[in-house]
Amino acid sequence: AQPTSPPQTGLVGWATQNGGTTGGGSAATTTVTNASALSSALNATGAAVIRVSGTISCSGMLRVRSNKTILGNSGATIAGCGLNISGDRNVIIRNLTFRDWNDDAINVQESATNIWIDHNSFSNGYDGAVDIKRGSDFVTVSWNRVFNHDKTMLLGHSDDNGSQDIGHLRVSYHHNWFDGSNQRNPRVRFGNPVHVFNNYYRANGGYGVASTENAGVLVEGNYFENVDDTYHLGEGDSGPGRLVARNNHFVNSPAGQTGGSVASIPYSYQLDTASTVKSIVTAGAGAGRITV
């Protein structure tokens, strides 16, 4: 397969299911340049397209309501805080740089559905870059870059939350650049099938992917470079999940631990050849690589 040029910009994966993800659609656009305006726009009822301009300094978590598209203008940065999608649905977040957040950068929780997190950059935060938990479902996390950061992407927050999580937490992670990010790329509980495809893993010090608590994770067509622990079953106190690995490319990295079967993927997708994924992802992932 030839490198995709320009980078794919269309929605692929779990967020296409359950009626699809359109965010604010063709609703009116609001441009915000400070934290209070951003918070008000995110928390308003009704569909909206929200453009972030410049650097917005903030703290804590800003609530995002349903039917919102949040787009970064060129260079747009959210510094110090994060976005919380809790029980709402149909949200798109694209082309933003998040740094120095003091909780999570993006938190998807409480049965939030149909979320697309695309072409963002994340660095130097406190907790998760993108954490998805508490029964949330139908999420695509695509073309993001995470660097200078430890706890990257958690899927399912605790081992004892199966009653809310089993049958949910279906997420696609594709064309992300896990650029020295340490761990949780992602760390998965319960969700099945979780689809981790065409990502570029570079020098992750802790591990790449962990499947735990009977999750089903398909690790497909990824490029692992200088990663000592590419993927495994179980993590910490969490019991093992299931993991199927296929068509991955390894450079100075071992194949990881697999076991069990994973539910079938219900959507169509085009898989890039794993050996081309490094060039495709480094050319296309992160904020500033698309025009929105």
Side-chain angles (χ1 to χ4, degrees), residues 58-286:
C58 45
S59 62
M61 301 293 290
L62 306 183
R63 180 77 180 268
V64 182
R65 300 289 182 170
S66 296
N67 307 311
K68 300 292 188 291
T69 298
I70 307 156
L71 303 173
N73 288 344
S74 179
T77 300
I78 295 179
C81 76
L83 305 181
N84 181 30
I85 306 164
S86 183
D88 283 284
R89 67 177 313 278
N90 194 32
V91 174
I92 296 172
I93 302 170
R94 303 182 78 193
N95 204 45
L96 285 166
T97 294
F98 293 85
R99 61 173 172 82
D100 307 321
W101 59 91
N102 59 3
D103 191 341
D104 294 330
I106 299 176
N107 181 40
V108 179
Q109 65 173 350
E110 301 300 351
S111 303
T113 60
N114 293 92
I115 313 297
W116 183 26
I117 299 165
D118 177 73
H119 278 100
N120 304 288
S121 294
F122 301 90
S123 65
N124 197 45
Y126 171 68
D127 201 358
V130 179
D131 284 2
I132 301 165
K133 61 196 186 189
R134 298 186 186 277
S136 297
D137 219 349
F138 306 110
V139 181
T140 294
V141 181
S142 57
W143 294 101
N144 302 285
R145 181 185 176 206
V146 185
F147 62 98
N148 187 28
H149 184 66
D150 180 17
K151 297 175 180 177
T152 306
M153 297 182 184
L154 179 68
L155 181 54
H157 72 290
S158 80
D159 293 346
D160 61 8
N161 202 53
S163 60
Q164 186 179 21
D165 288 342
I166 292 169
H168 304 290
L169 299 181
R170 287 170 288 189
V171 181
S172 304
Y173 299 87
H174 74 86
H175 293 92
N176 298 290
W177 183 359
F178 296 114
D179 187 6
S181 52
N182 192 47
Q183 59 176 317
R184 305 183 181 178
N185 302 290
R187 184 199 200 282
V188 181
R189 294 175 170 96
F190 303 115
N192 181 29
V194 173
H195 195 190
V196 180
F197 71 96
N198 283 161
N199 302 284
Y200 172 45
Y201 292 82
R202 185 200 68 82
N204 312 105
Y207 62 90
V209 183
S211 178
T212 80
E213 296 300 318
N214 206 36
V217 184
L218 174 59
V219 178
E220 181 179 31
N222 301 284
Y223 189 119
F224 294 93
E225 185 171 19
N226 297 325
V227 181
D228 291 340
D229 182 354
T230 52
Y231 42 85
H232 60 238
L233 308 179
E235 174 62 29
D237 293 332
S238 302
R242 292 162 287 162
L243 191 149
V244 171
R246 63 186 186 216
N247 301 321
N248 296 290
H249 183 75
F250 302 95
V251 176
N252 193 30
S253 306
Q257 184 182 16
T258 61
S261 61
V262 176
S264 60
I265 302 297
Y267 50 80
S268 60
Y269 61 102
Q270 178 180 329
L271 190 71
D272 289 319
T273 304
S275 60
T276 69
V277 163
K278 177 181 178 177
S279 62
I280 292 170
V281 169
T282 55

